Amino acid sequence: GATGDGMPREPKSIAVLLEGMRGEMLTVELKDDAEVSGVLEAVDAGMNMELGNARKVLASGEAVELEACFVPGTAVRYVHIPPGVDLLRRYSQHEANVQRLARAARPPRHLRPSAMPPPEERTPIYAGPAAPP
């Protein structure tokens, strides 16, 4: 995202690490003592997560199988990362993909505003039959 002054916002949340964990099986411990395990489908900067093929174990021990489960970031106590997962490598791969997509989404250089000459150097174009005096 960007700040109000147009400068890119630096990620400051553990959620940026979780971005690289999409597709992995995670266990999320909730503040109400329940636990949800499932495949991380989506996560945002607020640590809101969507887990697919999930299993929620309530504090009472009762288990519920869910096709999809939304976990609000405010309910998260801990996120258990599977052993053997290299978070730094995953994050680096994710960031490389984000940068690649950002470059692909940019307009060609000749169409970017910075490539335009300043207004005083542009050739005026008039739609009428004669240029104004």
Side-chain angles (χ1 to χ4, degrees):
T3 59
D5 61 3
M7 298 298 293
R9 183 178 302 154
E10 290 297 318
K12 296 180 179 162
S13 167
I14 189 97
V16 297
L17 293 175
L18 291 176
E19 282 284 341
M21 296 295 299
R22 286 182 190 208
E24 281 290 332
M25 178 68 83
L26 297 179
T27 299
V28 181
E29 190 176 321
L30 306 178
K31 292 178 181 175
D32 67 358
D33 295 324
E35 247 184 37
V36 181
S37 296
V39 177
L40 182 63
E41 301 291 337
V43 62
D44 67 15
M47 291 277 294
N48 299 306
M49 291 179 256
E50 186 173 324
L51 301 174
N53 299 320
R55 182 171 198 257
K56 183 173 184 177
V57 180
L58 304 174
S60 66
E62 178 186 348
V64 181
E65 302 291 328
L66 304 163
E67 187 175 314
C69 180
F70 177 79
V71 179
T74 56
V76 174
R77 180 181 293 151
Y78 299 112
V79 177
H80 299 273
I81 306 298
V85 170
D86 184 345
L87 278 179
L88 183 57
R89 183 179 61 78
R90 292 290 184 96
Y91 174 70
S92 297
Q93 288 173 338
H94 170 73
E95 281 300 301
N97 286 337
V98 168
Q99 294 300 323
R100 182 180 51 76
L101 291 172
R103 284 191 302 274
R106 277 189 274 183
R109 182 175 294 282
H110 70 282
L111 295 178
R112 291 183 202 160
S114 61
M116 298 284 291
E120 62 275 4
E121 294 178 18
R122 294 182 196 153
T123 304
I125 300 174
Y126 298 100

Coordinates of all heavy atoms in Angstrom, one line a residue, residues 71-116:
V71 N -10.3 -16.5 10.1 CA -9.8 -16.2 11.4 C -9.5 -14.7 11.5 O -8.5 -14.2 10.8 CB -8.5 -17.0 11.7 CG1 -8.0 -16.7 13.1 CG2 -8.8 -18.5 11.5
P72 N -10.2 -14.0 12.3 CA -9.9 -12.5 12.5 C -8.5 -12.4 13.2 O -8.2 -13.1 14.1 CB -11.0 -12.0 13.3 CG -11.9 -13.1 13.6 CD -11.3 -14.4 13.1
G73 N -7.8 -11.4 12.7 CA -6.5 -11.2 13.3 C -6.5 -10.9 14.8 O -5.6 -11.2 15.5
T74 N -7.6 -10.2 15.2 CA -7.7 -9.9 16.6 C -7.9 -11.1 17.5 O -7.8 -11.0 18.7 CB -8.9 -8.9 16.8 OG1 -10.1 -9.5 16.3 CG2 -8.7 -7.6 16.1
A75 N -8.3 -12.2 16.9 CA -8.5 -13.5 17.7 C -7.2 -14.3 17.8 O -7.2 -15.3 18.5 CB -9.6 -14.3 17.0
V76 N -6.2 -14.0 17.1 CA -5.0 -14.8 17.0 C -4.1 -14.6 18.2 O -3.7 -13.5 18.6 CB -4.2 -14.5 15.7 CG1 -2.8 -15.3 15.7 CG2 -5.0 -14.8 14.5
R77 N -3.7 -15.7 18.9 CA -2.8 -15.7 20.0 C -1.4 -16.1 19.4 O -0.4 -15.4 19.6 CB -3.2 -16.6 21.1 CG -2.2 -16.6 22.2 CD -2.5 -17.6 23.4 NE -3.8 -17.1 24.0 CZ -4.6 -17.9 24.6 NH1 -4.5 -19.2 24.6 NH2 -5.7 -17.4 25.2
Y78 N -1.3 -17.2 18.7 CA 0.0 -17.7 18.2 C -0.3 -18.3 16.8 O -1.4 -18.8 16.6 CB 0.6 -18.8 19.0 CG 0.9 -18.4 20.4 CD1 0.2 -19.0 21.5 CD2 2.0 -17.6 20.7 CE1 0.6 -18.6 22.8 CE2 2.3 -17.2 22.0 CZ 1.6 -17.8 23.0 OH 1.9 -17.4 24.3
V79 N 0.7 -18.3 15.9 CA 0.7 -19.0 14.7 C 1.8 -20.0 14.7 O 3.0 -19.6 14.9 CB 0.8 -18.1 13.5 CG1 0.9 -18.9 12.2 CG2 -0.3 -17.1 13.4
H80 N 1.5 -21.3 14.6 CA 2.5 -22.3 14.7 C 3.0 -22.6 13.2 O 2.2 -23.0 12.4 CB 2.0 -23.6 15.3 CG 1.6 -23.4 16.7 ND1 2.4 -23.5 17.8 CD2 0.3 -23.0 17.3 CE1 1.7 -23.2 18.9 NE2 0.5 -22.9 18.6
I81 N 4.3 -22.4 13.0 CA 4.9 -22.6 11.7 C 5.3 -24.1 11.7 O 6.0 -24.5 12.6 CB 6.0 -21.7 11.4 CG1 5.6 -20.2 11.6 CG2 6.6 -21.9 10.0 CD1 4.6 -19.7 10.7
P82 N 5.1 -24.8 10.6 CA 5.5 -26.2 10.5 C 7.0 -26.3 10.6 O 7.7 -25.4 10.1 CB 5.0 -26.7 9.2 CG 4.0 -25.7 8.7 CD 4.3 -24.4 9.4
P83 N 7.6 -27.3 11.3 CA 9.0 -27.5 11.4 C 9.6 -27.6 10.0 O 9.0 -28.2 9.1 CB 9.2 -28.8 12.2 CG 7.9 -29.3 12.5 CD 6.8 -28.4 11.9
G84 N 10.8 -27.1 9.8 CA 11.5 -27.3 8.5 C 11.2 -26.2 7.5 O 11.7 -26.2 6.4
V85 N 10.2 -25.3 7.8 CA 9.9 -24.2 6.8 C 10.9 -23.1 7.0 O 11.1 -22.6 8.1 CB 8.4 -23.7 7.1 CG1 8.1 -22.5 6.3 CG2 7.4 -24.8 6.8
D86 N 11.5 -22.7 5.9 CA 12.4 -21.6 5.9 C 11.7 -20.3 5.6 O 11.4 -20.0 4.5 CB 13.5 -21.9 4.8 CG 14.6 -20.8 4.8 OD1 14.4 -19.7 5.4 OD2 15.6 -21.1 4.1
L87 N 11.3 -19.6 6.7 CA 10.5 -18.4 6.5 C 11.2 -17.3 5.7 O 10.6 -16.6 4.9 CB 10.2 -17.8 7.9 CG 9.0 -18.4 8.6 CD1 8.8 -17.7 10.0 CD2 7.7 -18.3 7.8
L88 N 12.5 -17.1 5.9 CA 13.3 -16.1 5.2 C 13.2 -16.4 3.7 O 13.0 -15.5 2.9 CB 14.7 -16.0 5.7 CG 15.6 -14.9 5.0 CD1 14.9 -13.6 5.2 CD2 16.9 -14.9 5.6
R89 N 13.4 -17.7 3.3 CA 13.4 -18.0 1.9 C 12.0 -17.8 1.3 O 11.8 -17.2 0.2 CB 13.8 -19.5 1.7 CG 13.9 -19.9 0.2 CD 14.3 -21.4 0.0 NE 13.4 -22.3 0.7 CZ 12.2 -22.7 0.2 NH1 11.8 -22.2 -1.0 NH2 11.5 -23.6 0.8
R90 N 11.0 -18.2 2.1 CA 9.6 -18.1 1.6 C 9.3 -16.6 1.4 O 8.6 -16.2 0.4 CB 8.6 -18.7 2.6 CG 8.7 -20.2 2.7 CD 8.1 -20.8 1.4 NE 8.0 -22.2 1.5 CZ 7.0 -22.9 1.9 NH1 5.8 -22.3 2.1 NH2 7.0 -24.2 2.0
Y91 N 9.7 -15.8 2.4 CA 9.4 -14.3 2.3 C 10.1 -13.7 1.1 O 9.5 -12.9 0.4 CB 9.8 -13.6 3.6 CG 9.7 -12.1 3.5 CD1 8.4 -11.5 3.5 CD2 10.8 -11.3 3.4 CE1 8.2 -10.2 3.4 CE2 10.6 -9.9 3.3 CZ 9.4 -9.4 3.3 OH 9.2 -8.0 3.2
S92 N 11.4 -14.1 0.9 CA 12.1 -13.6 -0.2 C 11.5 -13.9 -1.6 O 11.4 -13.1 -2.5 CB 13.6 -14.1 -0.2 OG 14.2 -13.7 0.9
Q93 N 11.0 -15.2 -1.7 CA 10.3 -15.6 -2.9 C 9.0 -14.8 -3.1 O 8.7 -14.4 -4.2 CB 10.0 -17.1 -2.8 CG 11.2 -18.0 -3.0 CD 10.8 -19.5 -2.8 OE1 9.8 -19.8 -2.1 NE2 11.7 -20.3 -3.3
H94 N 8.3 -14.6 -2.0 CA 7.0 -13.8 -2.1 C 7.3 -12.4 -2.5 O 6.6 -11.9 -3.4 CB 6.3 -13.9 -0.7 CG 5.2 -12.9 -0.7 ND1 4.0 -13.2 -1.3 CD2 5.0 -11.7 -0.1 CE1 3.2 -12.1 -1.1 NE2 3.8 -11.3 -0.4
E95 N 8.3 -11.8 -1.9 CA 8.6 -10.4 -2.3 C 9.1 -10.3 -3.8 O 8.7 -9.3 -4.5 CB 9.7 -9.8 -1.4 CG 9.2 -9.4 0.0 CD 8.1 -8.3 -0.2 OE1 8.4 -7.2 -0.7 OE2 7.0 -8.6 0.3
A96 N 9.8 -11.3 -4.2 CA 10.3 -11.3 -5.6 C 9.1 -11.4 -6.6 O 9.0 -10.7 -7.6 CB 11.2 -12.4 -5.9
N97 N 8.1 -12.2 -6.2 CA 6.8 -12.3 -7.0 C 6.1 -11.0 -7.0 O 5.5 -10.5 -8.0 CB 6.0 -13.4 -6.5 CG 6.5 -14.8 -6.8 OD1 7.3 -14.9 -7.8 ND2 6.1 -15.8 -6.1
V98 N 6.0 -10.3 -5.8 CA 5.3 -9.1 -5.7 C 5.9 -8.0 -6.6 O 5.3 -7.3 -7.3 CB 5.2 -8.6 -4.2 CG1 4.7 -7.1 -4.2 CG2 4.3 -9.5 -3.4
Q99 N 7.3 -7.9 -6.6 CA 8.0 -7.0 -7.4 C 7.8 -7.3 -8.9 O 7.6 -6.3 -9.7 CB 9.5 -7.0 -7.0 CG 9.8 -6.5 -5.6 CD 9.4 -5.1 -5.4 OE1 9.5 -4.3 -6.3 NE2 8.9 -4.8 -4.2
R100 N 7.8 -8.5 -9.2 CA 7.6 -8.9 -10.6 C 6.3 -8.5 -11.1 O 6.1 -7.9 -12.2 CB 7.8 -10.4 -10.8 CG 7.7 -10.9 -12.2 CD 7.9 -12.5 -12.3 NE 7.1 -13.2 -11.4 CZ 5.8 -13.5 -11.6 NH1 5.1 -13.0 -12.6 NH2 5.1 -14.2 -10.7
L101 N 5.2 -8.7 -10.3 CA 3.9 -8.4 -10.7 C 3.7 -6.8 -10.7 O 3.0 -6.3 -11.6 CB 2.9 -8.9 -9.7 CG 2.7 -10.5 -9.7 CD1 1.8 -11.0 -8.6 CD2 2.1 -10.9 -11.1
A102 N 4.4 -6.1 -9.9 CA 4.3 -4.7 -9.9 C 5.0 -4.1 -11.1 O 4.4 -3.2 -11.8 CB 5.0 -4.1 -8.6
R103 N 6.1 -4.7 -11.6 CA 6.7 -4.2 -12.8 C 5.8 -4.5 -14.0 O 5.7 -3.7 -14.9 CB 8.1 -4.9 -13.0 CG 9.2 -4.3 -12.1 CD 10.6 -4.8 -12.5 NE 10.7 -6.3 -12.5 CZ 11.0 -7.0 -11.4 NH1 11.2 -6.4 -10.2 NH2 11.1 -8.3 -11.4
A104 N 5.2 -5.7 -14.0 CA 4.3 -6.1 -15.1 C 3.1 -5.2 -15.2 O 2.6 -5.0 -16.3 CB 3.9 -7.5 -15.0
A105 N 2.7 -4.6 -14.1 CA 1.4 -3.8 -14.1 C 1.7 -2.4 -14.5 O 0.8 -1.6 -14.7 CB 0.8 -3.9 -12.7
R106 N 3.0 -2.0 -14.5 CA 3.3 -0.6 -14.8 C 3.1 -0.3 -16.3 O 3.3 -1.2 -17.1 CB 4.8 -0.3 -14.5 CG 5.0 0.1 -13.1 CD 6.4 0.6 -12.9 NE 7.2 -0.6 -12.7 CZ 8.5 -0.6 -12.4 NH1 9.1 0.6 -12.3 NH2 9.1 -1.7 -12.2
P107 N 2.6 0.9 -16.6 CA 2.5 1.2 -18.1 C 3.9 1.3 -18.7 O 4.9 1.5 -18.0 CB 1.8 2.6 -18.1 CG 2.0 3.1 -16.7 CD 2.2 2.0 -15.8
P108 N 3.9 1.2 -20.0 CA 5.2 1.3 -20.7 C 5.9 2.7 -20.4 O 5.2 3.7 -20.1 CB 4.9 1.3 -22.2 CG 3.5 0.6 -22.2 CD 2.9 0.9 -20.9
R109 N 7.2 2.7 -20.4 CA 7.9 3.9 -19.9 C 7.4 5.2 -20.7 O 7.3 6.2 -20.1 CB 9.4 3.7 -20.2 CG 10.2 4.9 -19.7 CD 11.7 4.6 -19.8 NE 12.2 3.6 -18.9 CZ 12.4 3.8 -17.6 NH1 12.2 4.9 -17.1 NH2 12.9 2.8 -16.9
H110 N 7.2 5.1 -22.0 CA 6.8 6.2 -22.8 C 5.4 6.8 -22.4 O 5.0 7.9 -22.7 CB 6.9 6.0 -24.3 CG 5.8 5.0 -24.8 ND1 5.9 3.6 -24.6 CD2 4.7 5.2 -25.4 CE1 4.9 3.1 -25.1 NE2 4.1 4.0 -25.6
L111 N 4.6 6.0 -21.6 CA 3.3 6.4 -21.2 C 3.2 6.9 -19.7 O 2.2 7.4 -19.3 CB 2.3 5.3 -21.4 CG 2.0 4.9 -22.8 CD1 1.0 3.8 -22.9 CD2 1.5 6.1 -23.6
R112 N 4.3 6.7 -19.0 CA 4.4 7.1 -17.6 C 4.4 8.7 -17.5 O 5.1 9.3 -18.4 CB 5.6 6.6 -16.9 CG 5.5 5.1 -16.8 CD 6.7 4.5 -16.0 NE 6.9 3.1 -16.3 CZ 8.0 2.5 -16.2 NH1 9.0 3.0 -15.7 NH2 8.0 1.2 -16.5
P113 N 3.8 9.2 -16.5 CA 3.8 10.7 -16.4 C 5.2 11.3 -16.3 O 5.4 12.4 -16.9 CB 3.1 10.9 -15.1 CG 2.2 9.7 -14.9 CD 3.0 8.6 -15.5
S114 N 6.2 10.6 -15.8 CA 7.5 11.2 -15.7 C 8.2 11.3 -17.0 O 9.1 12.1 -17.2 CB 8.4 10.3 -14.7 OG 8.5 9.0 -15.3
A115 N 7.7 10.6 -18.0 CA 8.2 10.7 -19.4 C 7.6 11.8 -20.2 O 8.1 12.2 -21.2 CB 8.0 9.4 -20.1
M116 N 6.6 12.5 -19.6 CA 6.0 13.6 -20.3 C 6.8 14.8 -20.1 O 7.3 15.1 -19.0 CB 4.6 13.8 -19.8 CG 3.6 12.7 -19.9 SD 3.0 12.6 -21.6 CE 2.0 14.0 -21.7

